DNA sequence: CATGAATGAGAATTCATTCAT
DNA sequence: GATGAATGAATTCTCATTCAT
């Protein structure tokens, strides 16, 4: 525009790739996160994806289907990646757990990653099967891995005999709340939102407890 | 138009008027929790409240205002109750904390109590001021109380020197996640959802840590 | 209000007179002129009249009836007053006409007097019988008086042989347009809206014509 | 809600799209004249234009905008046509004036032409900016032309020294009143509504006055 | 394949009118 | 007589979906 009349060589006429449906999903995700499903018009999605309304319907039979496709696409990589990574490691499970938590934290720092659970959380009332899908595809895979890690920790004497399933809540809950407080309510600690500090503090309490050693000795 | 046709409308039955707004809010809360704000029609609210559509508008200028009124009404009692109860107690802050957590747990067991935060959480994208209101009226009052309890715990040697603000997440997070998993995703531990077990497990870890004593001694 | 605590003696507790319906009509007229019939709510009328909505319906069976009553009330005095005044005078009819025009002008200066025709003009599409009523009760009485005045003027040699009925338009039209331009479109002559100047100019043209005498002699 | 029930809607028939807004405006104008703005439903407009409700909103953001578009469209051609035609002619301004009045009369005979000012006149209370627009675009262009014509007439000795601005009312007022009486109140002279007769009578009085020559000589 | 004009069910909101108190 | 809470028909406006081009 600025250099009118001058044409640079190169792939100037890159034809839109075959990634159309993905572009639609990207646009939809951004909008659903920003305004919610109900307040997002199909036309908005189309505009943001750079296509026409009709094109959205070319790839998705309905607006609902866009949401569903979105969640489906966002779910797949998860069950695969993290689980295999931490599922079969040997050694002190607390090290593994800490490492996993740190990874979870860093992934949660990416708004793109938070997007899907956020949308699911919001729209679950209107689309119960989304939650079910999310649970089936993500939670049902991830939680057992953590549970068995704890079980091994207890069995091998690294951990006290806690309830493994309930302990999962103690492990992940603080992270979730931290993000919710910051994102939804704007509650930010004096030190800032950087999740690393939270995780340090969390791990310290998680493993060693809040009580002072002196008191603990009592 | 005006001169043609005769309109014949009016009240069918009358009732007291004092509790009317509250009845509307009750109906709205139930429906917002059940179906979400967007999917709830004003007529639904009216029907559930046993009044007509027009009556809803007699007390609330818009559907949005119903939601706002709902949150406002649900928020008021909170800041008052819990805080005074635990804000000024003396003695081991861990005892107080444990007691407060148990109280919070029992209150969270009541779906009526969970209703407001649930709705706020869901509709916050469309109504950011609701979140701000909730933060201002609830969180900004409750969190400092917990923070200062922890500060005192540290100062008086009951607790290790943790970051008090971040520790709030470690204290409440597990409860929140427990409820979210159960309610939203239907993830229920083998032992059931009763929150008491969760709290026992949580408190044990919170105060004494996950690590086995033997390992801790290392 | 300013002299709180001090009560002046006198008819302090004047009970509302039996003029209720008139107060309602006054309120309605003011509002209909200001916002139009459709945009005026019965509640507005009631509020302005200092009564409740129900009371309006105590005196008028419907909102339409208020408008009708308004026009009816405003019409009655007209047919009586002006007509008898100018209908039977003797002498140069031009003097009488000029005098009548000046009176009409001064009456038109009063917004209260303009109010009824203004409302009728506006609402005539929705309430054709109002226009008919106005014509029957006002125009059909007033126009013939003017017509016969002109007829006498022609017969007695005061006026040229014009069409009396059409000439009524030439007599009153300029006044009407002057008011419409000023009120509706805000078109005001440099000299201001005072109707006296307009009437002077109008009468001069009406009786003596626009053409210069020299040209007329041609 | 969204996930339950299948909605199956869409176009039934297609037509060219260029003239669509004009068709809507035509329909709206007819209905606004016939029943008034308030009593005309958007659906009526759509039906009369042979399109669906939604199509009206495709071209106009609101019902108000239809009215505004209507007036805007109706106003444009006016300022152009008549003015250039009579603004620069030389010779006896009375001839020009008479010619202009006759043209105005013949245009006013067309109900289509009367339609816009009629609607503006009626709805001006609810939409003051319409009147302003009409004044700015029509009256502020037309009136000065007439005024300067009169000024020239006076300067060149064709007319008596009247107030040009006020005289505009004397020139146009009779026509306006004639139309209002006929259209609004059904007051029709014995000879019928044909405006030619009125104009003949009007011009005769306008230029030569109502007074008989004998009397004038006095 | 893409487009976007057209459709029309649906939902929020208004307000004239009624009638128990 | 007065009141004003309650009603619900009517209307504007939105937007998911279709389909001729």
């Amino acid at each position: 525009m600025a250099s009118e009349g001058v044409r640079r060589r190169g792939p100037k006429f890159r034809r839109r790739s075959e990634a159309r449906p993905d572009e639609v999903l990207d646009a939809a995700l951004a909008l659903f996160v920003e305004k919610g499903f109900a307040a997002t018009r199909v036309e908005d999605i189309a505009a943001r994806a750079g296509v026409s309304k009709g094109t959205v319907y070319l790839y998705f039979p309905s607006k609902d289907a866009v949401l569903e496709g979105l969640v489906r696409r966002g779910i797949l990589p998860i069950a695969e990646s993290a689980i295999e990574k931490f599922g079969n490691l040997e050694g002190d499970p607390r090290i593994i757990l800490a490492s996993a938590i740190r990874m979870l934290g860093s992934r949660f720092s990416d708004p793109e990653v938070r997007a899907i659970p956020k949308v699911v959380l919001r729209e679950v009332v209107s689309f119960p099967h989304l939650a079910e899908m999310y649970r089936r595809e993500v939670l049902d895979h991830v939680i057992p891995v953590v549970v068995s890690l704890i079980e091994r920790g207890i069995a091998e004497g690294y951990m006290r005999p806690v309830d493994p399933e309930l302990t999962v809540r103690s492990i992940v809950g603080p992270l979730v709340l931290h993000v919710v407080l910051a994102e939804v309510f704007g509650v930010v600690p004096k030190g800032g939102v950087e999740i690393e500090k939270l995780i340090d503090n969390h791990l310290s309490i998680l493993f060693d407890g809040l009580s002072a050693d002196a008191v603990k000795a009592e």
Side-chain angles (χ1 to χ4, degrees), chain A:
Chain A
M1 179 176 51
S3 56
E4 228 179 306
V6 181
R7 295 200 211 147
R8 280 189 284 126
R9 282 156 209 72
K12 196 78 196 302
F13 301 134
R14 235 175 309 150
R15 196 159 282 279
R16 202 156 290 278
S17 70
E18 296 312 309
R20 269 306 152 68
D22 257 318
E23 287 167 3
V24 171
L25 292 181
D26 290 342
L29 179 54
L31 289 165
F32 290 168
V33 167
E34 188 187 325
K35 326 194 313 185
F37 178 82
T40 298
R41 286 152 40 208
V42 173
E43 190 150 18
D44 297 338
I45 300 173
R48 181 153 187 155
V51 299
S52 77
K53 228 182 332 173
T55 303
V56 173
Y57 281 90
L58 218 53
Y59 297 111
F60 301 92
S62 72
K63 190 185 169 190
D64 290 13
V66 175
L67 175 56
E68 174 144 354
L70 199 55
V71 175
R72 197 178 300 282
R73 181 189 69 164
I75 271 173
L76 290 182
I78 296 185
E80 296 154 8
S81 74
I83 296 163
E84 329 264 293
K85 215 164 187 170
F86 298 99
N88 301 313
L89 295 181
E90 310 234 322
D92 188 340
R94 295 176 303 172
I95 309 287
I96 300 170
L97 213 50
S99 171
I101 288 172
R102 286 189 194 284
M103 199 197 79
L104 183 66
S106 80
R107 303 207 84 214
F108 254 60
S109 302
D110 181 359
E112 297 266 316
V113 172
R114 292 199 295 268
I116 295 284
K118 248 166 106 173
V119 169
V120 171
L121 216 64
R122 208 186 118 75
E123 308 303 343
V124 68
V125 179
S126 311
F127 305 92
H129 72 286
L130 286 189
E132 206 204 290
M133 198 163 100
Y134 195 82
R135 195 217 54 196
R136 194 177 54 241
E137 302 294 336
V138 177
L139 303 178
D140 284 359
H141 291 274
V142 174
I143 293 177
V145 172
V146 181
V147 165
S148 65
L149 201 63
I150 297 170
E151 285 172 340
R152 183 163 70 79
I154 297 168
E156 298 181 359
Y158 291 104
M159 299 179 187
R160 294 193 299 109
V162 294
D163 179 314
E165 272 191 288
L166 296 178
T167 299
V168 172
R169 280 104 180 126
S170 292
I171 293 170
V172 183
L175 271 81
V176 171
L177 182 59
H178 186 65
V179 172
V180 168
L181 282 179
E183 287 243 317
V184 177
F185 298 102
V187 174
V188 173
K190 287 193 206 76
V193 250
E194 308 89 61
I195 210 161
E196 288 76 23
K197 281 185 191 165
L198 174 94
I199 291 179
D200 287 342
N201 193 70
H202 169 45
L203 288 176
S204 151
I205 294 169
L206 176 65
F207 292 129
D208 295 329
L210 196 51
S211 298
D213 292 340
V215 183
K216 230 178 268 182
E218 281 177 23

